[in-house]
Amino acid sequence: TAVLIGIAIGVLVVCVLAIAIGFALYAFVGGPLEVGKCKFFMSAREGDSSLMRMFDNFGSGKYLSTVKVMFARYMYTFLWSLLFIIPGIIKGYEYYLIPYLMAENPNLPKDRAFAISKQAMNGEKWNLFVLELSFIGWELLGLLACCVGVIFVAPYEQATFTEFYACMRAKIIAQGISTEAELTGGMNLPFDGGNAGQISTFQNPYDM
């Protein structure tokens, strides 16, 4: 019995450590890289395709604020997911714009990043869900091709979601949710938003 208890405690300790390491990796590496991915595609949309954009938020004065906001996003979504999964999914869509907001302005306060994303995604969650569904066929084809096809689908998919953010950005400004000055924070990343009039009926610009 003592041996079984010892094994159970050992397994529990290992699981807790694994979860803690996973959280730490996401907080200090995964979150900033997710923001960097958004920044790269936003920059590429404006003609700057430098891969170094991926690591901009690892720089001085940007890193810790990015870590703080992205980890909060992850934790909030995770905690909501404990309530029968569905609330976590809804919150995931509600917080969807946060990586893009941080890509534009790494110094955007946490509360403002959450508030802007929440207000902008009001009435848009279903549109985003349908947009994500439109990629299922492509992803299945990519998986059938020994997963190699996923490499080609992923950039196309991310570019489309960047266009979605462009429309949401136009909505943010048009509805007074935020301002151009707050969104950019004086950062050197000009980003031309989409047409605010197309927000509720978002059209995939890369539709084939």
Side-chain angles (χ1 to χ4, degrees):
T1 302
V3 174
L4 291 177
I5 292 175
I7 292 174
I9 293 174
V11 171
L12 180 61
V13 170
V14 170
C15 290
V16 170
L17 285 175
I19 292 172
I21 291 171
F23 279 148
L25 284 174
Y26 179 81
F28 296 106
V29 181
L33 279 178
E34 185 176 352
V35 172
K37 177 187 68 175
C38 294
K39 194 162 192 174
F40 169 76
F41 279 92
M42 290 163 68
S43 300
R45 184 178 183 270
E46 303 301 317
D48 177 6
S49 57
S50 171
L51 285 175
M52 293 309 295
R53 286 292 191 184
M54 286 279 295
F55 308 101
D56 274 4
N57 282 51
F58 284 89
S60 176
K62 304 176 183 179
Y63 179 67
L64 289 180
S65 59
T66 301
V67 167
K68 176 183 176 181
V69 175
M70 291 300 293
F71 185 66
R73 173 180 178 257
Y74 178 79
M75 284 303 299
Y76 290 171
T77 305
F78 171 75
L79 292 174
W80 276 103
S81 295
L82 297 179
L83 301 175
F84 305 105
I85 305 298
I86 299 299
I89 295 174
I90 294 173
K91 288 297 178 180
Y93 283 114
E94 196 170 274
Y95 305 151
Y96 184 82
L97 303 181
I98 289 176
Y100 293 94
L101 295 171
M102 297 306 295
E104 284 207 79
N105 182 4
N107 296 314
L108 190 65
K110 175 177 70 71
D111 291 344
R112 281 299 293 153
F114 277 82
I116 292 170
S117 182
K118 181 177 179 179
Q119 293 178 59
M121 289 302 294
N122 185 30
E124 307 294 344
K125 300 180 189 68
W126 178 254
N127 291 333
L128 179 57
F129 175 69
V130 172
L131 180 62
E132 289 177 332
L133 284 181
S134 70
F135 286 101
I136 289 180
W138 289 99
E139 291 171 353
L140 289 176
L141 284 174
L143 290 172
L144 289 174
C146 300
C147 297
V148 176
V150 175
I151 298 174
F152 298 97
V153 173
Y156 157 63
E157 188 172 352
Q158 188 59 46
T160 303
F161 291 134
T162 301
E163 292 298 324
F164 178 82
Y165 171 67
C167 288
M168 294 304 99
R169 191 183 193 278
K171 174 182 178 178
I172 289 168
I173 294 175
Q175 295 189 1
I177 297 171
S178 183
T179 63
E180 183 75 27
E182 183 180 34
L183 290 178
T184 60
M187 297 293 108
N188 185 28
L189 179 60
F191 186 72
D192 180 23
N195 184 347
Q198 295 178 349
I199 293 166
S200 296
T201 56
F202 175 78
Q203 297 294 321
N204 184 347
Y206 302 101
D207 225 353
M208 294 183 181

